[in-house]
Amino acid sequence: MQVIFSNRAYLAILSETSEKIKTETGGVFLGCYENGNWYVIEAIDPGPKSIFQVAYFEYDKNYTEHLINKLVQMYKAKLTLIGLWHRHPGSFDEFSSTDNGTNTEYAKLSPNGAVSVLVNVDPKFRITPYHVSMPLKYTKITYKVGDDLIPEHLLQLKNAEKSLEYINGYSNKPNVKPSFEKPKVDFIRLLEGIKDKLQRVTLSQEDYNFEEAENYRDFLIDSLLDDINYFTETRKLALNIEQNKGVLCLSHKGADNVVTKVYFMYIARDKQIVFSRGDNVCYLYTPGLFAGLLKDYVPADVSFKSGLLNALGIGKDKQGVQT
């Protein structure tokens, strides 16, 4: 087992260390665990509101979460939060009790544990990587630096064309109504076709922090981009898109002028996106979810009314009363 840093990630550590040469500092790692190696693709700086002291350091959590959400959208591979690094004063290259708590949180994020790297300048720069496993255990591991040591697919960025199509189609032509072919199916019937494959989640009222969700507006639209393109380009649906107080709404006027609305929101505490039709039933959303589930789906020839009543669990009880 070893850690392999991309050139960019390693340079980011050096840059942050030199900028805060008189105090502690640190950052977090985006990458993946593959074939026994930890690949660090991005090393994110701790943020402007971090606390930097000679023997103490604290991350700007809101900033790092924001930047993580931005960067993961740029890569084709599914990068995740795999660890962190921070500088210790002098030659002290062991973890404090505070570090133990932080490392435990990161190690719990994955069954493979996490990477935690200590940086020292005593008097020359050196780093000491550890693998953190649960129950809390530290194992020193080696490291290497170089893009040539990283599988090519982990460094590939997404194609910009999809983003350009979305920008040009929605932002640059606000007064021009796009021309759509007559759809073969309503939005509601597409949702009906996958309702049994969706993962339901249980949320309490306290989970709906609209003020916090507002900070993730850009992340939310970026996450939905592939599915929005799928519905509009592949399924030929004229979707309306609205954002308000951190909630993104996709709506579609189908047969008999019935409007179907689906609401999306980022729950920062759980680091996940959920969606609902406005009732108390919520489902987990991941980028490309609808395009993936509907790829080979051909709607049955049923009435729109039937589809509306049954979509996402809506139906009639035994007395014929809508539930």
Side-chain angles (χ1 to χ4, degrees):
M1 181 185 295
Q2 63 181 341
V3 182
I4 301 177
F5 296 96
S6 70
N7 294 334
R8 176 183 168 95
Y10 186 67
L11 181 60
I13 296 173
L14 292 173
S15 177
E16 179 63 24
T17 302
S18 63
E19 183 180 338
K20 303 294 190 303
I21 192 66
K22 295 181 179 180
T23 64
E24 284 198 17
T25 187
V28 297
F29 296 143
L30 278 181
C32 72
Y33 178 78
E34 192 172 285
N35 298 323
N37 293 319
W38 292 93
Y39 294 102
V40 178
I41 308 302
E42 293 275 355
I44 297 173
D45 71 273
K49 294 184 180 180
S50 298
I51 299 175
F52 304 99
Q53 297 179 1
V54 174
Y56 179 76
F57 162 69
E58 186 174 315
Y59 293 92
D60 180 351
K61 186 177 179 181
N62 289 336
Y63 171 86
T64 55
E65 286 187 355
H66 167 76
L67 205 52
I68 287 170
N69 292 331
K70 288 291 186 182
L71 288 173
V72 295
Q73 298 301 315
M74 296 176 61
Y75 287 87
K76 288 185 177 181
K78 186 177 180 180
L79 303 184
T80 59
L81 186 61
I82 61 170
L84 68 164
W85 73 274
H86 71 287
R87 179 186 170 185
H88 267 186
S91 300
F92 182 57
D93 57 5
E94 296 181 3
F95 295 106
S96 65
S97 57
T98 301
D99 295 336
N100 289 340
T102 303
N103 287 330
T104 296
E105 291 182 11
Y106 278 75
K108 286 181 177 179
L109 295 177
S110 168
N112 297 312
V115 171
S116 188
V117 172
L118 291 177
V119 168
N120 296 94
V121 182
D122 56 353
K124 294 184 178 182
F125 174 88
R126 67 182 176 90
I127 65 176
T128 309
Y130 289 85
H131 172 238
V132 188
S133 56
M134 294 302 298
L136 186 61
K137 177 183 177 182
Y138 296 114
T139 305
K140 280 188 180 182
I141 52 180
T142 59
Y143 76 94
K144 293 180 180 178
V145 179
D147 289 352
D148 58 319
L149 302 175
I150 298 176
E152 185 178 348
H153 71 277
L154 296 181
L155 296 171
Q156 289 182 343
L157 299 177
K158 287 184 177 179
N159 192 314
E161 292 304 315
K162 286 187 177 181
S163 294
L164 285 173
E165 288 176 7
Y166 171 76
I167 293 169
N168 293 333
Y170 287 90
S171 297
N172 294 339
K173 302 176 183 179
N175 298 318
V176 178
K177 188 174 182 179
S179 175
F180 292 92
E181 298 176 13
K182 184 178 180 180
K184 297 180 180 179
V185 63
D186 289 288
F187 192 28
I188 193 67
R189 289 176 63 191
L190 291 176
L191 297 177
E192 177 192 11
I194 60 173
K195 66 180 181 181
D196 294 333
K197 299 180 181 180
L198 300 175
Q199 180 180 340
R200 292 183 61 165
V201 292
T202 301
L203 297 175
S204 63
Q205 194 63 36
E206 291 73 21
D207 294 320
Y208 293 95
N209 188 327
F210 295 99
E211 182 177 347
E212 187 176 47
E214 183 73 10
N215 297 326
Y216 296 91
R217 290 183 59 178
D218 292 343
F219 170 66
L220 202 55
I221 193 68
D222 287 344
S223 299
L224 283 160
L225 183 58
D226 286 344
D227 275 327
I228 290 173
N229 283 333
Y230 170 78
F231 283 125
T232 57
E233 301 295 330
T234 303
R235 294 291 182 170
K236 307 300 180 183
L237 299 180
L239 291 181
N240 185 48
I241 305 170
E242 300 175 84
Q243 279 189 311
N244 183 36
K245 295 182 179 180
V247 176
L248 185 147
C249 174
L250 297 183
S251 61
H252 171 248
K253 183 182 289 187
D256 301 324
N257 291 323
V258 176
V259 177
T260 301
K261 293 187 176 182
V262 181
Y263 302 89
F264 297 81
M265 182 176 178
Y266 181 73
I267 308 297
R269 185 199 67 180
D270 299 324
K271 294 183 173 60
Q272 63 184 19
I273 298 173
V274 299
F275 69 96
S276 169
R277 289 200 59 238
D279 49 23
N280 293 323
V281 182
C282 293
Y283 301 91
L284 180 65
Y285 176 80
T286 54
L289 175 71
F290 299 125
L293 292 179
L294 290 165
K295 182 179 180 181
D296 301 315
Y297 172 70
V298 178
D301 186 16
V302 298
S303 69
F304 175 76
K305 182 178 180 181
S306 173
L308 178 63
L309 293 176
N310 289 298
L312 298 180
I314 299 175
K316 293 185 176 181
D317 60 20
K318 294 180 180 179
Q319 287 73 41
V321 179
Q322 185 174 331
T323 58

